[in-house]
Structures are given as structure tokens and as C-alpha cells.
Amino acid sequence: MTKAKIRYFFAYAFLILVSFISVFPLLWMLISATNTSLDVIRGKMSFGTALVDNFKQLVQTTQIGQALINSFRNAFVLTIMSLLVCSLAGYAFEIYHDKWKDGVMKLLLLSMMVPFAATMIPLFTWFGKMNLINTTAGFMLPSISTAFLIFLFRQSSRSFPYEIVEAARLEGMSEIRIFTRIFVPIMKPTYAAAITVTFMNAWNSYLWPLVILQDKKSQTMPILISNLISGYTINYGVLMLAVSISTLPTILIFFVLQKNFTEGITGAVK
């Protein structure tokens, strides 16, 4: 065996090992969803026959349908609003010239250093005075504009052909039409990456929804799952089934947008 073949062998062996370690928690979660709580505790690693019973118990003891609707509605609306606000901001930061824009961008990036927990109590007090507790607006407002998404769109816009904007202006196109007809179609990979990141963050967010969505009818999937482990007796089969159901939308979004997600993160523009 040549040195090249030996090198390839160890490289593929390492990749297979890392892939297995990455996929194992997901596989274990799916297997556990089909087993009883006792089988999960015993460490059974084969598919069982308790999937239907776990599903019946999950439906009867929780409001999972309402939680799925709440999570999807919150994540969908927040993703749309974030894309609109952050892509406009990123476009403006790169296309329009102002001597202060770099300073403002640095302040935005500096805000990423502040943990959300530090601003949560003032936000809750403020939103309470505005009667935004238990509302979708109260859930979305702190996350509509994020420094990361603005930075992502600005960095991607740096490879955007500015000559097209100048030519469109000479043709008499308005700034809104330039943005919607030229910028948005060309920046599809960046939008795909932004959709993936924003939807996943909104779907999986726990701390802020726990604080702002106090009504049981407003609870989301992460809160419902946390409630399943807060009782005296935990049914791990039901718990794993709830986690599996909660994971499906984010997996679907990622696989649908996987190709464009990679291009968008690296800032590629076709």
C-alpha cells in the first residue's frame, strides 16, 4: 500500500468516526422515541414498539399541537421580518457612502458582546409597560434586527457588482426597485443562509419565550419540552418523541437550503 493510500485510509477513517459521533445523538433520540421509558433508562439501542403509545400519551398530556403552531408562527414571522430589516440595513451599509457608517457598524458588532441575559430584565419591564407580554410582537421585537445578520448581508454585499446599481440608476430605476429586482435575486445564497440561521434560532429559542410568553396557550415547543422534564416522574420515551418532532422542521429547513446555506455563509454571489 502506497503512502498516498495510507493517508487516504486514515483520512476517511477519521471522517467516518467524526460523522458517527455527530449523528449518534440524533440516532439515539429517534430510537428512544420508539421505546418505553424503562427501555431508554436501560440503554436499549434498537427500535422498539412503543411509538404509538408514546404519541398517544404526548397528545393526551400536552398541548403539542398548539405549541407547534405557536413555534411555527413565531419562527416564520420573525424570519420574514428579520430578512427584510437586516438585508435592507446590510445593503445600505455597503451601497451608500457615509463617513459614519464604519463607526456605526463597529458599534453594532460591539453589541454582540453583550449577553442577552443582561438586557432581558429591562426589556421585560419595558414590554410590560407596553402591554406586549404574551404577544407575538413581544417575542419578535428583540430579535428582528440582529448585528450578525446585518454583518452577514454587508459582507456578502461587498462582492455585489456595484456597476449594476449605477447602471440601473442611469436607467431611471428607483432605489426600491433596484433592491427588490436586482439585489434580492442576486443575493439568494445569503438570504438562504439568513433564513436557516434565523429560523433555527427562533424555533429553538427558550429563555426569552419562557419570560415573555407566560400564558400556557402561548407556549412554544422548547417550553413544552422543558415542562416534560419538570415533573416528579419523567417518561423518557415521550420526551424523546417530543424532541424528535421538534427537531424535524429545522432539519427540513437545513436540508432544503443546504447548498445555498454554504454559499451564503462564505459570501458567494453568483
Side-chain angles (χ1 to χ4, degrees):
M1 186 179 289
T2 63
K3 289 184 178 180
K5 288 184 178 179
I6 294 174
R7 190 165 56 247
Y8 277 118
F9 172 78
F10 282 106
Y12 278 106
F14 176 75
L15 291 175
I16 291 172
L17 177 63
V18 172
S19 300
F20 177 76
I21 293 173
S22 301
V23 173
F24 179 76
L26 184 64
L27 179 63
W28 181 68
M29 175 186 71
L30 295 175
I31 291 174
S32 298
T34 66
N35 287 307
T36 64
S37 182
L38 186 59
D39 289 334
V40 177
I41 294 173
R42 286 174 174 170
K44 183 181 177 183
M45 288 306 301
S46 60
F47 287 99
T49 57
L51 178 62
V52 176
D53 292 335
N54 289 338
F55 183 76
K56 287 180 180 177
Q57 187 170 345
L58 180 63
V59 173
Q60 290 170 357
T61 57
T62 66
Q63 296 180 345
I64 187 170
Q66 186 64 49
L68 281 170
I69 292 173
N70 293 337
S71 289
F72 184 79
R73 181 196 60 211
N74 294 343
F76 179 77
V77 177
L78 178 58
T79 301
I80 297 297
M81 296 298 294
S82 294
L83 289 183
L84 178 63
V85 173
C86 295
S87 63
L88 278 170
Y91 174 80
F93 265 114
E94 191 57 34
I95 299 300
Y96 298 108
H97 299 288
D98 187 278
K99 63 179 180 180
W100 299 106
K101 68 178 186 180
D102 289 334
V104 174
M105 193 68 218
K106 289 177 182 176
L107 283 176
L108 282 175
L109 295 178
L110 190 62
S111 69
M112 294 173 66
M113 303 297 110
V114 180
F116 179 72
T119 60
M120 188 174 62
I121 294 177
L123 276 176
F124 178 76
T125 304
W126 186 33
F127 282 17
K129 293 178 180 177
M130 297 174 67
N131 295 321
L132 292 176
I133 307 297
N134 291 321
T135 63
T136 304
F139 167 77
M140 291 192 307
L141 282 175
S143 306
I144 284 181
S145 176
T146 64
F148 171 74
L149 279 189
I150 295 174
F151 179 72
L152 176 66
F153 276 105
R154 190 200 180 185
Q155 290 303 108
S156 298
S157 300
R158 291 194 164 179
S159 54
F160 182 77
Y162 186 73
E163 295 78 12
I164 297 179
V165 177
E166 292 181 324
R169 286 172 178 167
L170 290 175
E171 291 293 328
M173 291 183 70
S174 65
E175 295 297 318
I176 294 297
R177 288 191 66 193
I178 293 173
F179 177 80
T180 56
R181 300 290 180 86
I182 299 176
F183 181 80
V184 173
I186 292 178
M187 301 293 291
K188 278 196 301 185
T190 305
Y191 276 92
I195 289 172
T196 307
V197 172
T198 308
F199 188 88
M200 285 185 176
N201 287 339
W203 184 274
N204 295 321
S205 61
Y206 172 73
L207 185 57
W208 180 241
L210 181 65
V211 172
I212 197 72
L213 303 176
Q214 300 176 352
D215 190 352
K216 195 172 183 179
K217 293 181 180 178
S218 303
Q219 71 177 355
T220 57
M221 282 302 296
I223 298 175
L224 182 142
I225 291 170
S226 71
N227 291 336
L228 288 175
I229 59 176
S230 61
Y232 292 105
T233 303
I234 303 174
N235 189 322
Y236 289 100
V238 174
L239 175 64
M240 288 301 175
L241 179 59
V243 175
S244 301
I245 294 173
S246 180
T247 306
L248 290 178
T250 54
I251 291 177
L252 181 64
I253 289 284
F254 179 77
F255 278 109
V256 170
L257 302 176
Q258 183 181 14
K259 181 181 177 182
N260 289 329
F261 172 77
T262 307
E263 295 176 356
I265 287 295
T266 55
V269 177
K270 290 182 178 179

